[in-house]
Amino acid sequence: MLITVMDVSMSWASRFYLDEPKGAVTLELKSSFFAPAHGLVRCIGKVIHKTATLAFCESEIINQNSEIVCKASATFKYLKKN
């Protein structure tokens, strides 16, 4: 479930600065878990680099003690608008 949340946070981040709305698909995703996630957690997704067709993103899951529980990085491809 945490991977899905991180994938969605990165996908939203990848599309946030686009001039026109379009979809994005995950081409690859890598994750690393550092500790179990207990209680409420926060997910932050951000774009590291963007081109006209691709976005390179990172995401973190942070627990209530502000400790990083999991990190992920992914590459997204923008879909052509029909």
Side-chain angles (χ1 to χ4, degrees):
M1 185 168 137
L2 293 178
I3 295 297
T4 301
V5 170
M6 289 190 294
D7 187 35
V8 170
S9 76
M10 291 184 285
S11 176
W12 276 100
S14 74
R15 295 181 288 146
F16 186 77
Y17 294 104
L18 293 177
D19 294 332
E20 59 184 60
K22 46 174 123 166
V25 294
T26 308
L27 293 180
E28 62 87 26
L29 188 147
K30 180 194 178 297
S31 62
S32 298
F33 289 89
F34 307 118
H38 298 289
L40 293 176
V41 295
R42 181 173 37 140
C43 183
I44 301 169
K46 59 185 174 183
V47 176
I48 302 304
H49 180 73
K50 182 173 81 73
T51 69
T53 57
L54 297 173
F56 303 90
C57 302
E58 290 182 350
S59 182
E60 294 179 342
I61 300 278
I62 301 168
N63 67 14
Q64 293 173 321
N65 298 325
S66 298
E67 300 165 329
I68 298 172
V69 173
C70 184
K71 281 188 89 140
S73 62
T75 305
F76 293 85
K77 177 160 179 56
Y78 295 121
L79 300 175
K80 294 180 182 176
K81 190 174 180 183
N82 294 333

